[in-house]
Amino acid sequence: MNTKKIFTIYLVLVLFFSIAFTNSTYSQEKIDVTKLTREQILELDYEELMMLSLEDLMKLADIAGMSTDELLQLAIVSASKKSESLFDSPLSATVLTGENIKKAGVTSIMEALRLVPGVIVREQTPGNYDIHVRGYDDLDPNGLISFTRNAITLVMINNRIVYNEFQGNTYWELLQVSVDDIDKIEVVRGPAAAMYGPNAVSGVINIITKKPNEKKGLHVSSYSQAGNYNTILGNAAVSYAMNNGFSVRVAGNYDYRKRHNIDYFILSGKKFLRNDTNKIIGTENVTFVNELTGDEINIAGGQAVDPDLNPSKATPNYKQRYPYTDLGTDRKSINTHLAFNKKDYNINLMGGYSTAMIQDAFPINNFAALSTDSMSNMFGHLWGNYKNFSFSFDHNRGDVKTLGSGSALQAEYNISNANLEYSWDVFENFNIKPGFSYRSAVFNGRILGSTQLDANYNMIERDGDQVNTLLSGYIRAEYKFNNLRLIAALRADKFQYPDKVAISPLITATYKVNKNLLTRVSYGQATRSPFMINLFTNLDMSYPIPNPAGMGIPLTYKTIYGAHYRGTEYQDKEYQLLNVQEAEIGTRYNINKWLSVDMELFWSQMKNLDVFAKVSRGVRIVPTSATTGNVYIDDTTSFVDIDIKPQQIGGTFSVFANPMKNLDIQFYITLQETEIKGYYDSTGYKSYYKGATNATIVYIGGQPAEVLDSKKDADSENTKNLTHKATPSYFGGININYRPIKKLNINVNSYFYGEQTFSIGLGNGSNAVAKVDANVIVNSTISYEFYKGMKAFINGRNLVGGNKRQFALTDKINTMILGGFNINF
Amino acid sequence: MYYFCIKLKILSMRKITLLILLFFTLKIATAQEEKFKALFLYNFTKNIEWPISGQNEFEIGIIGNSNVYDEMLTIAQKGKVGNMPLVIKKYTSIDQIQNSRIVFISSNKNGLISQAVAKFSLKPVIIVTENTGSTPDGVSIRFVMIDDKLKFEISRKHTQKNGMKVNSSLFGLGKEI
């Protein structure tokens, strides 16, 4: 079905909904306040509220909370580790409520972040998104392999860090919670490592789940929808709150989506050409292919890296790598939350499990731009507070297979965190909050510290657990003097690997000119954690390849190709911790009762960026007789600190308007420019090689090439400043909610971004340069409450802006029409 | 900024003007906290009995700049106290208040609390305050926010004085001080 048809059907249904229900109203029965949701309470009119007894009114006030629907007045904790209104927060921040997410028909937590200013969210395949706060993505335009996943934003669920040390990122598909579980998402933009520790470099995303005691007694909720492309999204939860302070909530989530178009970008750009009798007669050039046959030539030059597999195909194990070519997302999760709240005690125990198989961008697999990832995770989290003392302990274990089954890149892990904090009011208007934390990450993976003698992945011997620990101490001080509020925070993080201490400072000042105008200024620094791949990768692979042309190798000689991957712990070099410093100023202004603006201007600079690049090539010719011999070509790839200094300058501008009681409008745009200072070509491994004049060094009977320090050998005269193009220069959105009658909510939301150009290292010395066109995506959701607490909705995603690739070399995302229910009673 | 300028140009000045005019003619939205404070105040009138005063309207006086005033005006249009119309008046000083039976002092006028206490200590007037560190002596009811929830503290001594009678449930619902 084409987009036009789908759009027409959508409009007809919208019309039907509008006409059918415009004249209906609530029946005038007595209100049972204990059964109302916050949303329903906010919809009650004065007459209804004035009829209530004070006791009922207080119950409603408790359920509704006093945080207003005005977005700038929502309560936030993440921006200063203290509950305050968003208007007063000292850093750039946004609060997104679960209600607003559902109103916008959002299908996942990842997609919800499109409603947050300053966040770049691009859908790679159905249900899988690239998420960056303010950018700094794919920074080295000539890096051999780009790790496209975001490693510099700290993601937390109820302050539990879900960062994974394997590749140094968040596996969004493995979050054990989904849309229906969300109370709110707090997003802080800019470095916040002084408060939350490493990886809070470009920002913090803290997902706060619903409290089990939100309502007394039994409570059931579901936010589920289904639509075209076999999309099924199911979320359901049951909670029960007893009078003695105990409460429990159990939730389950299911997310299944098929791809809208099946195609794969072939990294080598070549495929075997066969004649009628199926005999290989040459090669043809390809870019995207609609079907995988195994004849697509991999980066290894058409050689089977697993010699036990049938070598008649260029990539014989493609079926293992891509078990379901039509799959976008298949994820399931459950979570349980037990809480005890009484007087000064607030104790929570949460546990969960998730499993996912997805296809998303990971251009390191030598074959295609998409990879199949399958992974699972379980966790337990105990947290709470007693008076001024708060604690948090959690343990996570799981496994990741990021390149499909049978690949080298897989690991099992155990990650534990402990955190203790005390809040001390030294005197009126002066509070300090000291704390310390400990983190241990234990990984056991095929690529980590392995020694391998054969190309067959199955023969890799593991080298035992690789462990990194982090011991941290921090203090945060806050002082208020009239309208001036100062916050200073300092954190020291001691890593086991590298043996270094990272210091992260943050200082902010806010000045409230009056109750409607606030200005603020802040400066902070943050460090990214080292991760397993860049510390402990140690992999040697070798396999025969055809004799390369142009090297004058006699026909009677055989060529053995050796690929060597090294993390910094397996090289004689010091690990440099990636660091960002940032300064920003901002203003929030409530122009009048229905119109507010929030502006922020930021400047930041990153240093010690490492990229995974080929650093040397060595060629040995070893004669075995007078006429025969072996040629060994050994390429070494490792993380190198390329000593560039990306700088970013930009601003985010948001407007919140409540022109009518039944109309909310939010518009936001971020404009930014990133310049890479002191750039030089990191794939030019020639320049890393002392005295080398071309790509190969030939020496007989010698050792593989020495890995050299890139910094030492970079030709500083050849450095230049580049404008970074992988982050769009503008991006933002608009979100409109209109309630013509109480029971009907019409939402239209849009997300837009400017053009981007990605440069993805393919692994064979060349890069794929992929342009992503500017796009305006429009979604719309109409929901109707057909019975108290029960809403039916129809949801159109990508109604405008569909059928486009939103990220380099990934899927075209089409229009989706879904229908669903949102139940709360 | 280049892109932003383009976006602004797309919207012609006429459209912007129309949009602004439309916005200003529309009804305003208000905050939850003030709305519920106003509803609580209205509800107090149902739970407190004032001695007969001969007045034919029930006046609530508001001191200070607070949205509670706007909210109370809406409530006054829709409801009565017994058979009496509800009248909401905004005052800038305590001296101006003559007929109010409830005086609400918003937090930006906390400095006037002691003056109000002195003036109304011998009169059947309920003084309601908000956001003070603790409830000052002489104040009948104080709104407090606890974990984003609106609660109130109530003084038995200062509500049951000068002939006023309070429904005992009020002491159970609020925190008695």
Side-chain angles (χ1 to χ4, degrees), chain A residues 70 515 593, chain B residues 28-31 34-35 38 62 64-73 104 106:
Chain A
E70 289 169 44
K515 71 173 186 175
K593 280 174 186 170
Chain B
I28 54 162
T30 46
E34 284 82 2
K35 181 178 178 178
I62 310 278
N65 248 339
S66 169
N67 287 338
V68 172
Y69 173 70
D70 301 320
E71 293 291 332
M72 284 307 309
L73 286 180
F104 173 76
S106 77

mmCIF file with all atom_site columns, all heavy atoms in Angstrom, chain A residues 70 515 593, chain B residues 28-31 34-35 38 62 64-73 104 106:
data_model
loop_
_atom_site.group_PDB
_atom_site.id
_atom_site.type_symbol
_atom_site.label_atom_id
_atom_site.label_alt_id
_atom_site.label_comp_id
_atom_site.label_asym_id
_atom_site.label_entity_id
_atom_site.label_seq_id
_atom_site.pdbx_PDB_ins_code
_atom_site.Cartn_x
_atom_site.Cartn_y
_atom_site.Cartn_z
_atom_site.occupancy
_atom_site.B_iso_or_equiv
_atom_site.pdbx_formal_charge
_atom_site.auth_seq_id
_atom_site.auth_comp_id
_atom_site.auth_asym_id
_atom_site.auth_atom_id
_atom_site.pdbx_PDB_model_num
ATOM 1   N N   . GLU A 1 70  ? 1.971   22.812 33.074 1.00 0.00 ? 70  GLU A N   1
ATOM 2   C CA  . GLU A 1 70  ? 2.843   23.724 32.359 1.00 0.00 ? 70  GLU A CA  1
ATOM 3   C C   . GLU A 1 70  ? 4.216   23.094 32.375 1.00 0.00 ? 70  GLU A C   1
ATOM 4   O O   . GLU A 1 70  ? 4.782   22.813 33.441 1.00 0.00 ? 70  GLU A O   1
ATOM 5   C CB  . GLU A 1 70  ? 2.872   25.086 33.062 1.00 0.00 ? 70  GLU A CB  1
ATOM 6   C CG  . GLU A 1 70  ? 1.567   25.835 32.904 1.00 0.00 ? 70  GLU A CG  1
ATOM 7   C CD  . GLU A 1 70  ? 1.516   27.041 33.804 1.00 0.00 ? 70  GLU A CD  1
ATOM 8   O OE1 . GLU A 1 70  ? 2.529   27.757 33.880 1.00 0.00 ? 70  GLU A OE1 1
ATOM 9   O OE2 . GLU A 1 70  ? 0.485   27.241 34.445 1.00 0.00 ? 70  GLU A OE2 1
ATOM 10  N N   . LYS A 1 515 ? 9.790   36.160 39.763 1.00 0.00 ? 515 LYS A N   1
ATOM 11  C CA  . LYS A 1 515 ? 9.299   34.782 39.721 1.00 0.00 ? 515 LYS A CA  1
ATOM 12  C C   . LYS A 1 515 ? 9.063   34.279 38.301 1.00 0.00 ? 515 LYS A C   1
ATOM 13  O O   . LYS A 1 515 ? 8.889   33.093 38.073 1.00 0.00 ? 515 LYS A O   1
ATOM 14  C CB  . LYS A 1 515 ? 8.044   34.607 40.585 1.00 0.00 ? 515 LYS A CB  1
ATOM 15  C CG  . LYS A 1 515 ? 6.813   35.261 40.045 1.00 0.00 ? 515 LYS A CG  1
ATOM 16  C CD  . LYS A 1 515 ? 5.620   34.872 40.901 1.00 0.00 ? 515 LYS A CD  1
ATOM 17  C CE  . LYS A 1 515 ? 4.352   35.411 40.282 1.00 0.00 ? 515 LYS A CE  1
ATOM 18  N NZ  . LYS A 1 515 ? 3.154   35.020 40.948 1.00 0.00 ? 515 LYS A NZ  1
ATOM 19  N N   . LYS A 1 593 ? 0.794   34.167 31.446 1.00 0.00 ? 593 LYS A N   1
ATOM 20  C CA  . LYS A 1 593 ? 0.318   32.935 32.084 1.00 0.00 ? 593 LYS A CA  1
ATOM 21  C C   . LYS A 1 593 ? 0.262   31.755 31.131 1.00 0.00 ? 593 LYS A C   1
ATOM 22  O O   . LYS A 1 593 ? 0.168   30.618 31.544 1.00 0.00 ? 593 LYS A O   1
ATOM 23  C CB  . LYS A 1 593 ? -1.059  33.178 32.699 1.00 0.00 ? 593 LYS A CB  1
ATOM 24  C CG  . LYS A 1 593 ? -0.939  33.878 34.022 1.00 0.00 ? 593 LYS A CG  1
ATOM 25  C CD  . LYS A 1 593 ? -2.299  34.242 34.547 1.00 0.00 ? 593 LYS A CD  1
ATOM 26  C CE  . LYS A 1 593 ? -2.167  35.082 35.796 1.00 0.00 ? 593 LYS A CE  1
ATOM 27  N NZ  . LYS A 1 593 ? -3.450  35.648 36.189 1.00 0.00 ? 593 LYS A NZ  1
ATOM 28  N N   . ILE B 2 28  ? -7.008  31.750 29.541 1.00 0.00 ? 28  ILE B N   1
ATOM 29  C CA  . ILE B 2 28  ? -5.698  31.348 30.030 1.00 0.00 ? 28  ILE B CA  1
ATOM 30  C C   . ILE B 2 28  ? -5.781  30.073 30.850 1.00 0.00 ? 28  ILE B C   1
ATOM 31  O O   . ILE B 2 28  ? -6.804  29.761 31.434 1.00 0.00 ? 28  ILE B O   1
ATOM 32  C CB  . ILE B 2 28  ? -5.045  32.465 30.885 1.00 0.00 ? 28  ILE B CB  1
ATOM 33  C CG1 . ILE B 2 28  ? -6.009  32.888 32.001 1.00 0.00 ? 28  ILE B CG1 1
ATOM 34  C CG2 . ILE B 2 28  ? -4.650  33.640 30.039 1.00 0.00 ? 28  ILE B CG2 1
ATOM 35  C CD1 . ILE B 2 28  ? -5.333  33.618 33.097 1.00 0.00 ? 28  ILE B CD1 1
ATOM 36  N N   . ALA B 2 29  ? -4.713  29.374 30.857 1.00 0.00 ? 29  ALA B N   1
ATOM 37  C CA  . ALA B 2 29  ? -4.629  28.164 31.674 1.00 0.00 ? 29  ALA B CA  1
ATOM 38  C C   . ALA B 2 29  ? -3.978  28.513 33.003 1.00 0.00 ? 29  ALA B C   1
ATOM 39  O O   . ALA B 2 29  ? -3.222  29.463 33.094 1.00 0.00 ? 29  ALA B O   1
ATOM 40  C CB  . ALA B 2 29  ? -3.788  27.136 30.958 1.00 0.00 ? 29  ALA B CB  1
ATOM 41  N N   . THR B 2 30  ? -4.273  27.772 34.020 1.00 0.00 ? 30  THR B N   1
ATOM 42  C CA  . THR B 2 30  ? -3.699  28.087 35.327 1.00 0.00 ? 30  THR B CA  1
ATOM 43  C C   . THR B 2 30  ? -3.030  26.887 35.962 1.00 0.00 ? 30  THR B C   1
ATOM 44  O O   . THR B 2 30  ? -3.197  25.770 35.531 1.00 0.00 ? 30  THR B O   1
ATOM 45  C CB  . THR B 2 30  ? -4.781  28.616 36.279 1.00 0.00 ? 30  THR B CB  1
ATOM 46  O OG1 . THR B 2 30  ? -5.894  27.755 36.145 1.00 0.00 ? 30  THR B OG1 1
ATOM 47  C CG2 . THR B 2 30  ? -5.165  30.038 35.977 1.00 0.00 ? 30  THR B CG2 1
ATOM 48  N N   . ALA B 2 31  ? -2.294  27.168 37.012 1.00 0.00 ? 31  ALA B N   1
ATOM 49  C CA  . ALA B 2 31  ? -1.502  26.129 37.635 1.00 0.00 ? 31  ALA B CA  1
ATOM 50  C C   . ALA B 2 31  ? -2.345  25.304 38.616 1.00 0.00 ? 31  ALA B C   1
ATOM 51  O O   . ALA B 2 31  ? -3.316  25.792 39.183 1.00 0.00 ? 31  ALA B O   1
ATOM 52  C CB  . ALA B 2 31  ? -0.342  26.774 38.368 1.00 0.00 ? 31  ALA B CB  1
ATOM 53  N N   . GLU B 2 34  ? -2.384  26.515 42.651 1.00 0.00 ? 34  GLU B N   1
ATOM 54  C CA  . GLU B 2 34  ? -3.278  27.623 43.008 1.00 0.00 ? 34  GLU B CA  1
ATOM 55  C C   . GLU B 2 34  ? -4.748  27.208 42.895 1.00 0.00 ? 34  GLU B C   1
ATOM 56  O O   . GLU B 2 34  ? -5.588  27.611 43.692 1.00 0.00 ? 34  GLU B O   1
ATOM 57  C CB  . GLU B 2 34  ? -3.013  28.851 42.129 1.00 0.00 ? 34  GLU B CB  1
ATOM 58  C CG  . GLU B 2 34  ? -1.765  29.627 42.507 1.00 0.00 ? 34  GLU B CG  1
ATOM 59  C CD  . GLU B 2 34  ? -0.503  29.028 41.942 1.00 0.00 ? 34  GLU B CD  1
ATOM 60  O OE1 . GLU B 2 34  ? -0.595  28.016 41.208 1.00 0.00 ? 34  GLU B OE1 1
ATOM 61  O OE2 . GLU B 2 34  ? 0.591   29.549 42.258 1.00 0.00 ? 34  GLU B OE2 1
ATOM 62  N N   . LYS B 2 35  ? -5.003  26.391 41.898 1.00 0.00 ? 35  LYS B N   1
ATOM 63  C CA  . LYS B 2 35  ? -6.377  25.932 41.684 1.00 0.00 ? 35  LYS B CA  1
ATOM 64  C C   . LYS B 2 35  ? -6.859  25.145 42.902 1.00 0.00 ? 35  LYS B C   1
ATOM 65  O O   . LYS B 2 35  ? -7.960  25.376 43.420 1.00 0.00 ? 35  LYS B O   1
ATOM 66  C CB  . LYS B 2 35  ? -6.414  25.065 40.430 1.00 0.00 ? 35  LYS B CB  1
ATOM 67  C CG  . LYS B 2 35  ? -7.781  24.541 40.064 1.00 0.00 ? 35  LYS B CG  1
ATOM 68  C CD  . LYS B 2 35  ? -7.675  23.751 38.773 1.00 0.00 ? 35  LYS B CD  1
ATOM 69  C CE  . LYS B 2 35  ? -8.993  23.153 38.382 1.00 0.00 ? 35  LYS B CE  1
ATOM 70  N NZ  . LYS B 2 35  ? -8.898  22.430 37.119 1.00 0.00 ? 35  LYS B NZ  1
ATOM 71  N N   . ALA B 2 38  ? -7.334  27.259 46.020 1.00 0.00 ? 38  ALA B N   1
ATOM 72  C CA  . ALA B 2 38  ? -8.613  27.975 45.956 1.00 0.00 ? 38  ALA B CA  1
ATOM 73  C C   . ALA B 2 38  ? -9.767  27.035 46.293 1.00 0.00 ? 38  ALA B C   1
ATOM 74  O O   . ALA B 2 38  ? -10.691 27.408 47.034 1.00 0.00 ? 38  ALA B O   1
ATOM 75  C CB  . ALA B 2 38  ? -8.783  28.585 44.566 1.00 0.00 ? 38  ALA B CB  1
ATOM 76  N N   . ILE B 2 62  ? -7.913  38.488 49.683 1.00 0.00 ? 62  ILE B N   1
ATOM 77  C CA  . ILE B 2 62  ? -6.625  37.924 49.235 1.00 0.00 ? 62  ILE B CA  1
ATOM 78  C C   . ILE B 2 62  ? -5.568  39.013 49.328 1.00 0.00 ? 62  ILE B C   1
ATOM 79  O O   . ILE B 2 62  ? -5.751  40.107 48.788 1.00 0.00 ? 62  ILE B O   1
ATOM 80  C CB  . ILE B 2 62  ? -6.713  37.434 47.767 1.00 0.00 ? 62  ILE B CB  1
ATOM 81  C CG1 . ILE B 2 62  ? -7.938  36.537 47.543 1.00 0.00 ? 62  ILE B CG1 1
ATOM 82  C CG2 . ILE B 2 62  ? -5.408  36.777 47.322 1.00 0.00 ? 62  ILE B CG2 1
ATOM 83  C CD1 . ILE B 2 62  ? -7.809  35.113 47.940 1.00 0.00 ? 62  ILE B CD1 1
ATOM 84  N N   . GLY B 2 64  ? -1.723  40.007 48.417 1.00 0.00 ? 64  GLY B N   1
ATOM 85  C CA  . GLY B 2 64  ? -0.548  39.628 47.622 1.00 0.00 ? 64  GLY B CA  1
ATOM 86  C C   . GLY B 2 64  ? -0.934  39.170 46.235 1.00 0.00 ? 64  GLY B C   1
ATOM 87  O O   . GLY B 2 64  ? -2.101  38.925 45.932 1.00 0.00 ? 64  GLY B O   1
ATOM 88  N N   . ASN B 2 65  ? 0.111   39.096 45.406 1.00 0.00 ? 65  ASN B N   1
ATOM 89  C CA  . ASN B 2 65  ? -0.088  38.721 44.019 1.00 0.00 ? 65  ASN B CA  1
ATOM 90  C C   . ASN B 2 65  ? -0.075  37.221 43.883 1.00 0.00 ? 65  ASN B C   1
ATOM 91  O O   . ASN B 2 65  ? 0.957   36.592 43.929 1.00 0.00 ? 65  ASN B O   1
ATOM 92  C CB  . ASN B 2 65  ? 1.075   39.290 43.183 1.00 0.00 ? 65  ASN B CB  1
ATOM 93  C CG  . ASN B 2 65  ? 0.568   40.367 42.261 1.00 0.00 ? 65  ASN B CG  1
ATOM 94  O OD1 . ASN B 2 65  ? -0.627  40.421 41.966 1.00 0.00 ? 65  ASN B OD1 1
ATOM 95  N ND2 . ASN B 2 65  ? 1.493   41.200 41.816 1.00 0.00 ? 65  ASN B ND2 1
ATOM 96  N N   . SER B 2 66  ? -1.242  36.650 43.758 1.00 0.00 ? 66  SER B N   1
ATOM 97  C CA  . SER B 2 66  ? -1.284  35.196 43.668 1.00 0.00 ? 66  SER B CA  1
ATOM 98  C C   . SER B 2 66  ? -2.375  34.792 42.697 1.00 0.00 ? 66  SER B C   1
ATOM 99  O O   . SER B 2 66  ? -3.422  35.438 42.599 1.00 0.00 ? 66  SER B O   1
ATOM 100 C CB  . SER B 2 66  ? -1.571  34.600 45.048 1.00 0.00 ? 66  SER B CB  1
ATOM 101 O OG  . SER B 2 66  ? -1.870  33.236 44.915 1.00 0.00 ? 66  SER B OG  1
ATOM 102 N N   . ASN B 2 67  ? -2.100  33.707 41.963 1.00 0.00 ? 67  ASN B N   1
ATOM 103 C CA  . ASN B 2 67  ? -3.119  33.187 41.044 1.00 0.00 ? 67  ASN B CA  1
ATOM 104 C C   . ASN B 2 67  ? -4.322  32.625 41.799 1.00 0.00 ? 67  ASN B C   1
ATOM 105 O O   . ASN B 2 67  ? -5.356  32.348 41.206 1.00 0.00 ? 67  ASN B O   1
ATOM 106 C CB  . ASN B 2 67  ? -2.531  32.087 40.156 1.00 0.00 ? 67  ASN B CB  1
ATOM 107 C CG  . ASN B 2 67  ? -1.615  32.669 39.116 1.00 0.00 ? 67  ASN B CG  1
ATOM 108 O OD1 . ASN B 2 67  ? -1.722  33.847 38.783 1.00 0.00 ? 67  ASN B OD1 1
ATOM 109 N ND2 . ASN B 2 67  ? -0.695  31.866 38.617 1.00 0.00 ? 67  ASN B ND2 1
ATOM 110 N N   . VAL B 2 68  ? -4.159  32.455 43.125 1.00 0.00 ? 68  VAL B N   1
ATOM 111 C CA  . VAL B 2 68  ? -5.281  31.991 43.930 1.00 0.00 ? 68  VAL B CA  1
ATOM 112 C C   . VAL B 2 68  ? -6.457  32.966 43.761 1.00 0.00 ? 68  VAL B C   1
ATOM 113 O O   . VAL B 2 68  ? -7.613  32.559 43.721 1.00 0.00 ? 68  VAL B O   1
ATOM 114 C CB  . VAL B 2 68  ? -4.874  31.870 45.421 1.00 0.00 ? 68  VAL B CB  1
ATOM 115 C CG1 . VAL B 2 68  ? -6.080  31.587 46.296 1.00 0.00 ? 68  VAL B CG1 1
ATOM 116 C CG2 . VAL B 2 68  ? -3.827  30.772 45.590 1.00 0.00 ? 68  VAL B CG2 1
ATOM 117 N N   . TYR B 2 69  ? -6.128  34.254 43.595 1.00 0.00 ? 69  TYR B N   1
ATOM 118 C CA  . TYR B 2 69  ? -7.169  35.272 43.419 1.00 0.00 ? 69  TYR B CA  1
ATOM 119 C C   . TYR B 2 69  ? -7.994  34.968 42.165 1.00 0.00 ? 69  TYR B C   1
ATOM 120 O O   . TYR B 2 69  ? -9.227  34.950 42.198 1.00 0.00 ? 69  TYR B O   1
ATOM 121 C CB  . TYR B 2 69  ? -6.523  36.661 43.336 1.00 0.00 ? 69  TYR B CB  1
ATOM 122 C CG  . TYR B 2 69  ? -7.482  37.770 42.986 1.00 0.00 ? 69  TYR B CG  1
ATOM 123 C CD1 . TYR B 2 69  ? -8.459  38.178 43.894 1.00 0.00 ? 69  TYR B CD1 1
ATOM 124 C CD2 . TYR B 2 69  ? -7.428  38.408 41.749 1.00 0.00 ? 69  TYR B CD2 1
ATOM 125 C CE1 . TYR B 2 69  ? -9.349  39.193 43.578 1.00 0.00 ? 69  TYR B CE1 1
ATOM 126 C CE2 . TYR B 2 69  ? -8.311  39.424 41.420 1.00 0.00 ? 69  TYR B CE2 1
ATOM 127 C CZ  . TYR B 2 69  ? -9.280  39.812 42.338 1.00 0.00 ? 69  TYR B CZ  1
ATOM 128 O OH  . TYR B 2 69  ? -10.162 40.808 42.020 1.00 0.00 ? 69  TYR B OH  1
ATOM 129 N N   . ASP B 2 70  ? -7.277  34.726 41.034 1.00 0.00 ? 70  ASP B N   1
ATOM 130 C CA  . ASP B 2 70  ? -7.980  34.429 39.775 1.00 0.00 ? 70  ASP B CA  1
ATOM 131 C C   . ASP B 2 70  ? -8.833  33.175 39.918 1.00 0.00 ? 70  ASP B C   1
ATOM 132 O O   . ASP B 2 70  ? -9.958  33.112 39.420 1.00 0.00 ? 70  ASP B O   1
ATOM 133 C CB  . ASP B 2 70  ? -6.976  34.222 38.639 1.00 0.00 ? 70  ASP B CB  1
ATOM 134 C CG  . ASP B 2 70  ? -6.112  35.453 38.444 1.00 0.00 ? 70  ASP B CG  1
ATOM 135 O OD1 . ASP B 2 70  ? -6.674  36.560 38.543 1.00 0.00 ? 70  ASP B OD1 1
ATOM 136 O OD2 . ASP B 2 70  ? -4.895  35.312 38.218 1.00 0.00 ? 70  ASP B OD2 1
ATOM 137 N N   . GLU B 2 71  ? -8.265  32.183 40.582 1.00 0.00 ? 71  GLU B N   1
ATOM 138 C CA  . GLU B 2 71  ? -8.994  30.919 40.759 1.00 0.00 ? 71  GLU B CA  1
ATOM 139 C C   . GLU B 2 71  ? -10.246 31.145 41.602 1.00 0.00 ? 71  GLU B C   1
ATOM 140 O O   . GLU B 2 71  ? -11.313 30.595 41.335 1.00 0.00 ? 71  GLU B O   1
ATOM 141 C CB  . GLU B 2 71  ? -8.101  29.879 41.452 1.00 0.00 ? 71  GLU B CB  1
ATOM 142 C CG  . GLU B 2 71  ? -6.916  29.424 40.610 1.00 0.00 ? 71  GLU B CG  1
ATOM 143 C CD  . GLU B 2 71  ? -7.336  28.592 39.412 1.00 0.00 ? 71  GLU B CD  1
ATOM 144 O OE1 . GLU B 2 71  ? -8.394  27.940 39.508 1.00 0.00 ? 71  GLU B OE1 1
ATOM 145 O OE2 . GLU B 2 71  ? -6.643  28.611 38.398 1.00 0.00 ? 71  GLU B OE2 1
ATOM 146 N N   . MET B 2 72  ? -10.089 31.949 42.673 1.00 0.00 ? 72  MET B N   1
ATOM 147 C CA  . MET B 2 72  ? -11.223 32.216 43.561 1.00 0.00 ? 72  MET B CA  1
ATOM 148 C C   . MET B 2 72  ? -12.339 32.972 42.823 1.00 0.00 ? 72  MET B C   1
ATOM 149 O O   . MET B 2 72  ? -13.523 32.750 43.073 1.00 0.00 ? 72  MET B O   1
ATOM 150 C CB  . MET B 2 72  ? -10.789 33.029 44.791 1.00 0.00 ? 72  MET B CB  1
ATOM 151 C CG  . MET B 2 72  ? -10.054 32.270 45.869 1.00 0.00 ? 72  MET B CG  1
ATOM 152 S SD  . MET B 2 72  ? -10.823 30.769 46.522 1.00 0.00 ? 72  MET B SD  1
ATOM 153 C CE  . MET B 2 72  ? -12.453 31.236 46.959 1.00 0.00 ? 72  MET B CE  1
ATOM 154 N N   . LEU B 2 73  ? -11.925 33.861 41.893 1.00 0.00 ? 73  LEU B N   1
ATOM 155 C CA  . LEU B 2 73  ? -12.930 34.599 41.125 1.00 0.00 ? 73  LEU B CA  1
ATOM 156 C C   . LEU B 2 73  ? -13.779 33.629 40.306 1.00 0.00 ? 73  LEU B C   1
ATOM 157 O O   . LEU B 2 73  ? -15.008 33.778 40.225 1.00 0.00 ? 73  LEU B O   1
ATOM 158 C CB  . LEU B 2 73  ? -12.250 35.602 40.188 1.00 0.00 ? 73  LEU B CB  1
ATOM 159 C CG  . LEU B 2 73  ? -11.664 36.849 40.842 1.00 0.00 ? 73  LEU B CG  1
ATOM 160 C CD1 . LEU B 2 73  ? -11.014 37.742 39.790 1.00 0.00 ? 73  LEU B CD1 1
ATOM 161 C CD2 . LEU B 2 73  ? -12.738 37.643 41.587 1.00 0.00 ? 73  LEU B CD2 1
ATOM 162 N N   . PHE B 2 104 ? -6.613  35.339 53.067 1.00 0.00 ? 104 PHE B N   1
ATOM 163 C CA  . PHE B 2 104 ? -5.534  34.502 52.543 1.00 0.00 ? 104 PHE B CA  1
ATOM 164 C C   . PHE B 2 104 ? -4.333  35.398 52.247 1.00 0.00 ? 104 PHE B C   1
ATOM 165 O O   . PHE B 2 104 ? -4.433  36.385 51.508 1.00 0.00 ? 104 PHE B O   1
ATOM 166 C CB  . PHE B 2 104 ? -5.988  33.798 51.252 1.00 0.00 ? 104 PHE B CB  1
ATOM 167 C CG  . PHE B 2 104 ? -4.878  33.050 50.560 1.00 0.00 ? 104 PHE B CG  1
ATOM 168 C CD1 . PHE B 2 104 ? -4.432  31.821 51.047 1.00 0.00 ? 104 PHE B CD1 1
ATOM 169 C CD2 . PHE B 2 104 ? -4.256  33.574 49.436 1.00 0.00 ? 104 PHE B CD2 1
ATOM 170 C CE1 . PHE B 2 104 ? -3.399  31.135 50.429 1.00 0.00 ? 104 PHE B CE1 1
ATOM 171 C CE2 . PHE B 2 104 ? -3.228  32.886 48.805 1.00 0.00 ? 104 PHE B CE2 1
ATOM 172 C CZ  . PHE B 2 104 ? -2.802  31.665 49.306 1.00 0.00 ? 104 PHE B CZ  1
ATOM 173 N N   . SER B 2 106 ? -0.756  35.526 50.648 1.00 0.00 ? 106 SER B N   1
ATOM 174 C CA  . SER B 2 106 ? 0.134   34.749 49.783 1.00 0.00 ? 106 SER B CA  1
ATOM 175 C C   . SER B 2 106 ? 1.587   34.910 50.243 1.00 0.00 ? 106 SER B C   1
ATOM 176 O O   . SER B 2 106 ? 1.931   35.853 50.956 1.00 0.00 ? 106 SER B O   1
ATOM 177 C CB  . SER B 2 106 ? -0.047  35.153 48.322 1.00 0.00 ? 106 SER B CB  1
ATOM 178 O OG  . SER B 2 106 ? 0.609   36.359 48.087 1.00 0.00 ? 106 SER B OG  1
#
